[in-house]
């Protein structure tokens, strides 16, 4: 999925009652503000570098690294540089 200047772009691959899988492309400096998910979320960085804040703790992930964001724990995502990630949420 191509990057778009000044935007976060997403493409949903799977969405049902049990799981969702989405690919996101973040332009540098773009973010998804603090929110909580209705299921356990797993992110894997596909390229670039992102900053993830989970329950007030900050994590920097690069290509190939994975992070679990537990259900109902507030989290946010920020593009330290252009980066892509895969998000899988299990409900």
């Amino acid at each position: 999925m191509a990057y778009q200047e000044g935007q976060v772009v997403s493409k949903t691959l799977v969405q049902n009652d049990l799981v969702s899988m989405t690919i996101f492309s973040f332009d540098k400096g773009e973010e998804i503000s603090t929110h909580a998910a209705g299921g356990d979320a797993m992110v894997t960085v596909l390229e670039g570098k992102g900053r993830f804040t989970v329950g007030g703790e900050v994590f920097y992930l690069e290509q190939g690294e994975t992070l679990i964001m537990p259900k109902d724990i507030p989290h946010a995502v920020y593009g330290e540089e252009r980066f892509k990630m895969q998000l899988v949420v299990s409900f």
Side-chain angles (χ1 to χ4, degrees), residues 67-87:
L67 177 68
I68 302 297
M69 300 182 292
K71 177 182 178 180
D72 298 328
I73 302 297
H75 57 272
V77 184
Y78 178 81
E80 288 289 314
E81 59 186 48
R82 281 186 157 192
F83 88 103
K84 292 182 183 179
M85 70 176 200
Q86 177 183 34
L87 169 69

Side-chain angles (χ1 to χ4, degrees), residues 16-36:
N16 60 46
D17 292 342
L18 301 176
V19 67
S20 71
M21 182 184 299
T22 308
I23 303 293
F24 289 87
S25 295
F26 285 73
D27 195 13
K28 181 177 181 176
E30 294 302 311
E31 66 181 324
I32 296 175
S33 59
T34 303
H35 64 286

